[in-house]
């Protein structure tokens, strides 16, 4: 899904939010929240429905959702009063209220092949956006792992054009790639087995098709 609204474009495949043609970093949860609102526009989503989509089976306070909304509004240049994009439905939830349309335009990649990066735990998949992704037991973490062996801010993965790196954040039970403990930032490769505390994850990197990246030049 690639949707244009105002001066912004949200691209679900590349996990990018573009504002006036430049990528703007938002946390993965904020990206997922905006994506959810756009997918269901103009329907208003209840807070309970949003919570279940973003944090399935986990209690998270409304304050966390409010923080994500503030992050979105700051990124796209929106305001709580006279909002152009996200409408607050008092005592219920939120709805996307702006004009939006799907688009197939894509910016040129400068010859560099882009990739989509995922962390996989069983049937759950976490899409990692460009920039920093926090892994931990804090409900606000982009990769939320509700396990006693996981610290609140356990580790982070940084995704860039050059690849992905993993760093432990001083966790109690450590972070591992295979059997090797992570002591300093280390590069990640497709198929790496990542262990956070006692939770096992698999990193997958899927290159975007060349036809998708070069369509803007045809």
């Amino acid at each position: 899904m690639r949707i244009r609204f105002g001066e912004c474009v949200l691209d679900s495949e590349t996990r990018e939010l573009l504002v006036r043609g430049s990528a703007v970093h938002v946390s993965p949860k904020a990206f997922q929240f905006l994506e959810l609102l756009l997918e269901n526009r103009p329907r208003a989503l209840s807070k309970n429905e949003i919570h279940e989509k973003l944090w399935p089976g986990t209690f998270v306070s409304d304050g966390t959702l409010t923080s994500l909304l503030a992050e979105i509004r700051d990124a796209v240049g929106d305001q709580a009063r006279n909002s152009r994009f996200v409408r607050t439905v008092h005592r219920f939830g939120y709805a996307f209220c702006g004009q939006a349309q799907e688009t197939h335009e894509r910016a040129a990649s400068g010859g560099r092949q882009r990739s989509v990066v995922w962390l996989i735990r069983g049937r759950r998949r976490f899409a990692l956006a460009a920039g920093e992704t926090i892994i931990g037991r804090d409900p606000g973490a982009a990769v939320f792992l509700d396990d006693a062996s996981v610290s609140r801010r356990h580790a982070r993965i940084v995704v860039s054009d050059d690849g992905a790196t993993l760093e432990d954040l001083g966790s109690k039970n450590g972070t591992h790639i295979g059997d090797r403990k992570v002591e300093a930032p280390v590069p990640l490769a497709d198929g790496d087995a990542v262990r956070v505390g006692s939770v096992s994850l698999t990193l997958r990197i899927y290159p975007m098709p060349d036809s998708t990246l070069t369509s803007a030049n045809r």
Side-chain angles (χ1 to χ4, degrees), residues 47 88-93:
K47 291 181 180 179
T88 300
V89 184
H90 294 289
R91 298 185 180 180
F92 182 76

Side-chain angles (χ1 to χ4, degrees), residues 130-193:
E132 177 185 273
T133 295
I134 299 297
I135 305 170
R137 194 159 45 87
D138 187 328
V143 177
F144 170 61
L145 301 176
D146 190 14
D147 188 283
S149 69
V150 178
S151 300
R152 292 184 65 82
R153 286 174 57 88
H154 194 108
R156 67 181 168 195
I157 292 177
V158 178
V159 177
S160 69
D161 289 336
D162 297 322
T165 59
L166 172 67
E167 180 182 0
D168 184 79
L169 297 178
S171 65
K172 179 179 179 181
N173 294 309
T175 303
H176 295 74
I177 298 178
D179 295 327
R180 178 164 56 100
K181 187 174 183 179
V182 174
E183 303 284 0
V186 294
L188 290 167
D190 180 43
D192 274 346

Side-chain angles (χ1 to χ4, degrees), residues 116-135:
V116 179
V117 183
W118 298 85
L119 267 182
I120 300 173
R121 181 190 184 191
R123 295 185 177 181
R124 295 189 65 187
R125 302 202 310 167
F126 302 92
L128 307 187
E132 177 185 273
T133 295
I134 299 297
I135 305 170

